[in-house]
Amino acid sequence: MWAHSTNEAGRRHGLADHLRSTSALARQFAESFGAGDLAAAAGLLHDAGKAACVWQEKLLVAEQRHSAVGCDHKSLGARLMIGPGRETAMTILGHHGGLTDIERLREIRGEPVTDEAQTLARLLKQVLEAQDVIDGPVLVPEAWRREPLLLEMGVRLTFSALVDADHLDTGAHFQGLDAPVITPAADMAALVRGFEERRRAMLAERPRSPIDDMREGLYADAVRAAAGPGGVYRLPAPTGSGKTITSAGFALHHAARHRKSRVIVAVPFLTITEQNAEVYRRLLGEHTVLEHHSQVEFDSADDEGRLRLAAENWDRPFIVTTTVQLFDSLFGRKPARSRKLHRLANAVLVLDEVQALPVSLLVPILDALKLLAEHFGTTVLLTSATQPKFDALSVWSALPVHNLVNQPVELFQRLCRARYEWWIDPRPNLAEVADKVADERQALVVVNTVDHARRMFRLLAQRADVPVHHLSTRMCPAHRRAVLEKVRSLLADDQPVLLVSTQLIEAGVDVDFPVVFRALAPAESLQQAAGRANREGRRADLGRVVVFDASDAPVPRFYCAAVGSTRCYFGPDRDDPDNVTALDHYYRHLYNSLDADHGQRGTTIQQRRKKLDFLSVAEGPLRDSGLSTQRDSALAFRMIDDDTVPIVVTGYQDTARVEDLLRELRTSEGPQRETFRDLRPYIVTIPRRVFKDPGFTALCQPVVGELWEWRGDYDEHLGIDDRCAVETVL
């Protein structure tokens, strides 16, 4: 009996071999969270339906026609798994199309399977040990059975272990390998030694800064705290205090001390992902660090199996990803996104710039982090210069959180390097702001939307006698990186330079200007922008942060609530945004004004999670249950409400190479993981509402899955110019 059609060597994949290999891999992946036997059982039974005569016959036909088999093979395995696995049998039912809901499992339990007895007999003849699983004890951990939300998270991680094992074994077959290639467990102690050696060398190479001693003290405190127990930690430290390296130092030392499998760093913006990954590669080595922020999806019904095999499974000891990728995967339901989730168990998870987490999703996010920390061996570190008051929410009110900084107020006062100026009454217009900026020799302007950034860039280009540069996510990562390198070079040589950017520059991007102009925004964004003013503390005077409220560039609607809370605590005759105590009050006010504890979206997601309704969590509940199949996406878990489409740019640089990579994607039959990695520097993510415009879509050509190629012009300053993004952040 066969599991898969012939590979390039002309060999078919034996069903018994596939089931046993998948079972062994799933066990290995799930042992870290105490579900090894459970995942192994799922692996042994997941393709049981392929033992059916009709399936085997259709496989041979499909092999000749290069088509799908088109015959259900999941239901039998799910039915057999209900005894030992109870609700976790959903993992088998969803191992191709994705997790659905518990009702679907109940339905198939009562549905007859054609020739079930004959198929089971054929299966047991070759996989005799499956009988012991079917007749054996319940394998679901007892703690999962007592707590619905814990069971839901357990199903997710078991599903991840199963689909990763299945994909790896299937991929090995089609690549002609004898067995899947799995990265050996990392020697964390060796990684720590290498990290510390390279860190010392890197610090010795760069010019001394007046705040280096405070940075070193903060790093030493973090490393000492790494000896503490697993759980949740906070690193509240000002911008420019070295959080990128300090958080990695804590994570690596903690991982080595407590035998954690890996470190996962999640950041909110692509620019930080790119910058931090570059730093970590320098400190840990190229092959240790995996940078993963691809937005390309492989689970659409018309995708080929080879594309799903290319999905990242985080098989490295140090991962740098985005919070969007992390949490949309954690609360998703499709195999390609879910297969990496088991890597969160027994890991150190660093959440950088946690102030950027969406308030409407805080309750499910914080609940998931709590479950991972308490039941799956995950140590969580929250880093931010503007630490949110998460313990003001009931979901974390009783959670013990360890601080890496004992006296944050004193630290912020010692590291004060800029003063605020408020230009909000009377309100200027953008042209008046541009006039002021053009008078500066070096200045950074941060605005709230792509459209505002383009308008400000054009105004400055008409006025200024110095180089003007622009940053937004309409530019591909390679373009943004080149602009940042140019700007940093000009600043290092004390040359004139003006830079206009969306908020992507605020968190973690290392630039140092004497003055920053910041459009009115939430308090945390204002402080993040201030971290680019006199960042190194080398200037004789304090840096300047000019907060302006332009009449013709109003605060976007998605900022209105937070800006309202900001006005209550910060501004002329009030505190500045770097006041830690005022920030606590601000967050409490914001959470109360948005009813973060009891908001409809977070509450609905939590209710659906308790009912094991994965489909409603990921795509929203039914609008009219029983009357319609339409779902309310506004109540789904989605980190970015404005869904995006990934588009490859060939018109920036390296055109021939990018076109070769696209050609390889379109024609190759094997897994394309490395090809997608190589394309990332040239991918721009566009809001789907923009993409749907017929004029825009006409300039795009499909590649594979959700990936498109841009055939329009690419502006040397602005990138892809869609001409219609009025309120697009970043």
Side-chain angles (χ1 to χ4, degrees):
M1 294 188 293
W2 309 111
H4 300 106
S5 57
T6 55
N7 56 19
E8 292 182 356
R11 295 196 305 270
R12 295 191 183 98
H13 199 185
L15 178 59
D17 291 340
H18 176 56
L19 294 178
R20 290 186 176 114
S21 178
T22 301
S23 177
L25 280 174
R27 178 190 297 280
Q28 177 183 332
F29 294 154
E31 280 178 343
S32 61
F33 53 93
D37 288 346
L38 177 67
L44 199 63
L45 298 176
H46 79 288
D47 275 352
K50 290 184 177 181
C53 292
V54 64
W55 196 94
Q56 291 292 316
E57 292 167 1
K58 289 190 175 185
L59 174 67
L60 301 182
V61 174
E63 185 177 276
Q64 296 299 318
R65 295 177 178 175
H66 301 286
S67 61
V69 174
C71 181
D72 172 50
H73 69 274
K74 305 182 297 294
S75 296
L76 177 59
R79 284 159 62 92
L80 297 174
M81 186 66 183
I82 289 174
R86 303 288 176 87
E87 296 90 341
T88 66
M90 296 176 72
T91 62
I92 293 179
L93 201 59
H95 78 273
H96 282 297
L99 294 168
T100 53
D101 57 58
I102 194 66
E103 292 304 318
R104 178 58 190 142
L105 184 64
R106 290 168 181 158
E107 288 171 7
I108 69 105
R109 186 172 191 170
E111 291 175 355
V113 176
T114 304
D115 297 327
E116 178 174 336
Q118 180 185 359
T119 301
L120 181 57
R122 284 166 56 84
L123 172 72
L124 295 176
K125 187 174 181 180
Q126 290 197 12
V127 189
L128 184 61
E129 63 269 31
Q131 187 71 66
D132 295 332
V133 172
I134 297 166
D135 296 337
V138 174
L139 300 174
V140 181
E142 186 177 346
W144 296 13
R145 289 180 260 166
R146 292 196 301 265
E147 188 177 338
L149 287 170
L150 176 57
L151 174 61
E152 191 259 6
M153 187 60 66
V155 171
R156 289 186 183 278
L157 266 67
T158 305
F159 178 64
S160 170
L162 171 62
V163 296
D164 194 23
D166 183 24
H167 286 195
L168 285 169
D169 192 61
T170 302
H173 163 69
F174 284 110
Q175 292 176 75
L177 304 176
D178 292 331
V181 178
I182 307 295
T183 303
D187 183 343
M188 283 295 178
L191 287 182
V192 167
R193 290 192 296 271
F195 179 87
E196 291 295 349
E197 289 173 5
R198 294 185 181 103
R199 187 183 78 91
R200 286 191 292 270
M202 185 178 74
L203 294 177
E205 290 173 2
R206 70 185 192 186
R208 286 281 300 172
S209 167
I211 63 173
D212 275 352
D213 288 342
M214 282 180 278
R215 286 171 173 162
E216 194 60 28
L218 180 64
Y219 183 83
D221 288 344
V223 169
R224 279 193 294 271
V232 179
Y233 288 78
R234 295 169 77 244
L235 175 57
T239 55
S241 58
K243 289 191 297 297
T244 299
I245 295 177
T246 297
S247 59
F250 167 86
L252 288 165
H253 280 272
H254 187 82
R257 176 69 176 261
H258 297 282
R259 298 182 179 180
K260 302 295 184 184
S261 302
R262 62 188 38 79
V263 173
I264 301 168
V265 179
V267 297
F269 307 129
L270 292 179
T271 43
I272 319 176
T273 311
E274 298 151 9
Q275 175 179 282
N276 289 6
E278 187 174 332
V279 172
Y280 296 142
R281 277 192 287 265
R282 181 178 177 186
L283 293 170
L284 291 166
E286 184 74 29
H287 298 293
T288 299
V289 178
L290 170 67
E291 181 182 357
H292 183 212
H293 50 73
S294 174
Q295 297 297 311
V296 182
E297 297 297 334
F298 310 109
D299 284 308
S300 299
D302 57 348
D303 285 350
E304 298 176 54
R306 63 185 174 87
L307 301 179
R308 291 196 298 272
L309 296 176
E312 301 288 0
N313 69 342
W314 289 0
D315 190 15
R316 294 280 181 87
F318 201 102
I319 311 296
V320 185
T321 189
T322 61
T323 49
V324 172
Q325 181 69 235
L326 171 66
F327 290 114
D328 278 352
S329 297
L330 185 57
F331 290 94
R333 69 181 195 90
K334 293 296 188 74
R337 278 209 160 181
S338 298
R339 61 180 294 199
K340 56 184 165 288
L341 295 181
H342 67 88
R343 307 290 187 184
L344 292 169
N346 194 42
V348 183
L349 175 60
V350 179
L351 294 177
D352 197 7
E353 309 297 354
V354 289
Q355 78 284 347
L357 294 175
V359 175
S360 64
L361 297 174
L362 278 181
V363 170
I365 287 174
L366 296 179
D367 180 64
L369 294 175
K370 178 182 177 182
L371 290 171
L372 288 171
E374 293 180 342
H375 298 279
F376 295 91
T378 311
T379 293
V380 179
L381 173 63
L382 312 175
T383 79
S384 175
T386 53
Q387 279 281 348
K389 191 70 174 171
F390 289 152
D391 56 359
L393 301 176
S394 58
V395 66
W396 266 29
S397 59
L399 181 70
V401 178
H402 313 282
N403 274 319
L404 300 189
V405 177
N406 293 324
Q407 296 178 315
V409 174
E410 179 183 336
L411 179 63
F412 274 79
Q413 290 173 345
R414 290 171 62 197
L415 279 174
C416 179
R417 288 149 287 161
R419 58 183 172 85
Y420 288 83
E421 301 173 11
W422 301 86
W423 191 7
I424 57 177
D425 188 17
R427 298 171 70 186
N429 57 39
L430 283 182
E432 291 171 329
V433 176
D435 289 338
K436 290 287 187 183
V437 176
D439 290 338
E440 301 290 340
R441 185 170 176 271
Q442 297 176 333
L444 168 65
V445 187
V446 184
V447 292
N448 291 322
T449 73
V450 170
D451 178 65
H452 296 171
R454 288 173 171 170
R455 288 163 57 194
M456 178 58 71
F457 173 81
R458 292 181 177 117
L459 287 168
L460 285 175
Q462 295 167 2
R463 288 163 168 76
D465 296 325
V466 304
V468 183
H469 296 274
H470 166 275
L471 282 176
S472 84
T473 52
R474 290 299 189 275
M475 302 155 62
C476 67
H479 191 178
R480 296 198 302 266
R481 189 178 298 118
V483 169
L484 281 172
E485 288 175 357
K486 179 64 176 177
V487 169
R488 287 174 179 141
S489 176
L490 291 169
L491 289 170
D493 294 338
D494 196 27
Q495 295 298 307
V497 60
L498 303 178
L499 176 61
V500 180
S501 178
T502 56
Q503 71 174 55
L504 66 80
I505 200 168
E506 289 178 344
V509 178
D510 189 4
V511 291
D512 188 346
F513 285 87
V515 58
V516 174
F517 288 78
R518 180 52 167 105
L520 183 62
E524 60 269 27
S525 293
L526 300 182
Q527 193 196 120
Q528 293 291 340
R532 311 319 120 187
N534 192 25
R535 186 176 180 85
E536 294 296 330
R538 293 193 178 100
R539 304 182 189 279
D541 299 321
L542 288 174
R544 294 169 53 222
V545 183
V546 182
V547 181
F548 65 90
D549 184 15
S551 58
D552 55 345
V555 172
R557 53 185 168 77
F558 44 74
Y559 274 167
C560 286
V563 168
S565 294
T566 297
R567 290 182 184 273
C568 292
Y569 294 95
F570 308 105
D573 303 321
R574 291 187 173 88
D575 287 311
D576 288 335
D578 55 4
N579 184 303
V580 176
T581 303
L583 270 175
D584 278 354
H585 293 309
Y586 157 77
Y587 279 118
R588 287 183 183 275
H589 184 278
L590 178 62
Y591 295 160
N592 285 334
S593 67
L594 295 175
D595 196 18
D597 248 332
H598 308 289
Q600 184 183 13
R601 190 178 192 182
T603 299
T604 300
I605 290 169
Q606 290 296 88
Q607 291 172 344
R608 295 294 96 192
R609 290 180 62 208
K610 288 178 181 178
K611 294 182 178 181
L612 299 182
D613 187 353
F614 299 93
L615 188 57
S616 291
V617 170
E619 300 176 16
L622 292 170
R623 290 186 183 274
D624 299 297
S625 183
L627 301 175
S628 169
T629 59
Q630 188 176 13
R631 294 187 173 272
D632 188 352
S633 60
L635 297 179
F637 189 100
R638 185 177 298 169
M639 288 289 286
I640 300 176
D641 287 321
D642 197 352
D643 196 16
T644 58
V645 177
I647 298 176
V648 178
V649 169
T650 57
Y652 170 59
Q653 285 182 353
D654 303 322
T655 298
R657 179 170 179 268
V658 177
E659 289 177 344
D660 284 345
L661 291 170
L662 289 173
R663 191 177 302 110
E664 184 177 339
L665 275 185
R666 287 178 168 125
T667 61
S668 178
E669 294 297 324
Q672 299 297 306
R673 184 181 303 179
E674 296 300 327
T675 307
F676 278 110
R677 284 182 190 165
D678 291 343
L679 275 174
R680 283 186 192 141
Y682 309 97
I683 292 179
V684 176
T685 53
I686 295 291
R688 191 172 294 277
R689 60 181 173 80
V690 174
F691 177 78
K692 286 182 177 179
D693 182 274
F696 189 94
T697 309
L699 297 173
C700 299
Q701 290 185 355
V703 182
V704 290
E706 281 283 301
L707 186 66
W708 294 75
E709 177 186 358
W710 177 248
R711 304 298 294 173
D713 292 335
Y714 187 86
D715 189 275
E716 63 177 330
H717 299 293
L718 306 176
I720 291 178
D721 194 350
D722 51 66
R723 301 284 180 179
C724 57
V726 177
E727 285 197 344
T728 302
V729 167
L730 302 181

